[in-house]
């Protein structure tokens, strides 16, 4: 099976979040006249219901991207709830803390309109599952495939560089590798097939997503 030899998790998140929301605009017939169509805006509200076994109390902080708001609630008997509104899917972070504000665990996930649910255990929050957001499920599917590719890449790099000592030649953009591969800015990405052949470079947004789907499916 073809696979990508390199791609960062951050790029993957950007590719997935670039997709249009799954909850589309609904068309409804209005009462203004026969045959007229009134377009109603899609629902943008979300709820997040969390259940964490063996975590009786504590704080949960919900960090929205960029300069977005920070929401917080107190866990009661392992249960917490958030609600709000998002116009499009957002990649947020959830921070679990003790009552004295010491960190317990932090995790990233996608929020989108709808009823979301988180289930997990205090001693294994890294395995907590968020359901109800189709884009989150899609992201996890890509992540699992990319993780296996990254693992293979790391093993190959360890083998290839076992007896070498890479160092900078301090030539900046005139570095021989940068000139050879046409690197003129950072970040820059190259997608390689299983034979080590460059099949695409510098992809962003929809173009990156299409190429990912071509190789990962």
């Amino acid at each position: 099976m073809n696979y990508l030899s390199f791609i960062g998790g951050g790029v993957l998140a950007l590719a997935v979040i670039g997709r249009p929301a799954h909850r589309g605009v609904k068309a409804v017939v209005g009462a203004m006249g026969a045959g007229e169509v009134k377009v109603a805006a899609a629902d943008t509200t979300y709820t997040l219901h969390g259940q964490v076994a063996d975590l009786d109390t504590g704080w949960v902080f919900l960090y929205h991207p960029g300069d977005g708001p920070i929401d917080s609630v107190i866990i009661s008997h392992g249960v917490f709830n958030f609600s709000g509104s998002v116009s499009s899917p957002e990649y947020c972070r959830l921070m679990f803390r003790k009552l004295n504000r010491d960190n317990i665990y932090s995790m990233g996930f996608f929020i989108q309109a709808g009823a979301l649910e988180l289930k997990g255990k205090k001693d294994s929050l890294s395995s907590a599952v968020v359901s109800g957001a189709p884009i989150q499920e899609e992201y996890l599917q890509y992540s699992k495939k990319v993780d296996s590719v990254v693992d293979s890449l790391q093993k190959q790099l360890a083998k290839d560089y076992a007896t070498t000592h890479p160092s900078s030649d301090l030539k900046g953009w005139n570095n021989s590798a940068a000139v050879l591969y046409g690197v003129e800015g950072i970040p820059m990405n190259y997608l390689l097939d299983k034979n080590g052949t460059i099949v695409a470079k510098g992809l962003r947004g929809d173009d990156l997503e299409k190429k990912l789907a071509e190789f990962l499916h």
Side-chain angles (χ1 to χ4, degrees), residues 13-118:
L14 290 174
V16 176
I17 201 170
R19 295 179 64 88
H22 289 260
R23 297 174 64 87
V25 174
K26 300 181 293 183
V28 296
V29 178
M32 299 176 63
E36 291 188 13
V37 175
K38 182 179 180 180
V39 177
D43 184 11
T44 61
T45 60
Y46 72 86
T47 59
L48 173 60
H49 175 71
Q51 292 181 297
V52 181
D54 303 322
L55 184 58
D56 186 62
T57 188
W59 285 95
V60 185
F61 291 83
L62 178 59
Y63 293 84
H64 295 268
D67 296 325
I70 301 174
D71 301 322
S72 62
V73 296
I74 291 181
I75 302 170
S76 178
H77 303 294
V79 176
F80 65 89
N81 292 281
F82 285 101
S83 62
S85 178
V86 288
S87 58
S88 61
E90 293 183 352
Y91 189 73
C92 301
R93 295 206 67 81
L94 208 60
M95 175 75 76
F96 294 88
R97 292 180 176 176
K98 298 178 182 179
L99 288 178
N100 64 4
R101 302 301 179 95
D102 286 346
N103 292 340
I104 298 177
Y105 186 73
S106 173
M107 62 179 290
F109 70 106
F110 281 97
I111 277 184
Q112 68 182 109
L116 285 64
E117 186 173 20
L118 180 147

Side-chain angles (χ1 to χ4, degrees), residues 95-146:
M95 175 75 76
F96 294 88
R97 292 180 176 176
K98 298 178 182 179
L99 288 178
N100 64 4
R101 302 301 179 95
D102 286 346
N103 292 340
I104 298 177
Y105 186 73
S106 173
M107 62 179 290
F109 70 106
F110 281 97
I111 277 184
Q112 68 182 109
L116 285 64
E117 186 173 20
L118 180 147
K119 288 187 177 181
K121 295 182 179 180
K122 177 183 177 180
D123 295 332
S124 57
L125 281 171
S126 61
S127 301
V129 175
V130 177
S131 59
I135 197 169
Q136 169 71 9
E137 296 167 5
E138 181 180 348
Y139 172 72
L140 291 177
Q141 290 177 2
Y142 276 114
S143 294
K144 291 178 181 178
K145 295 177 181 179
V146 170

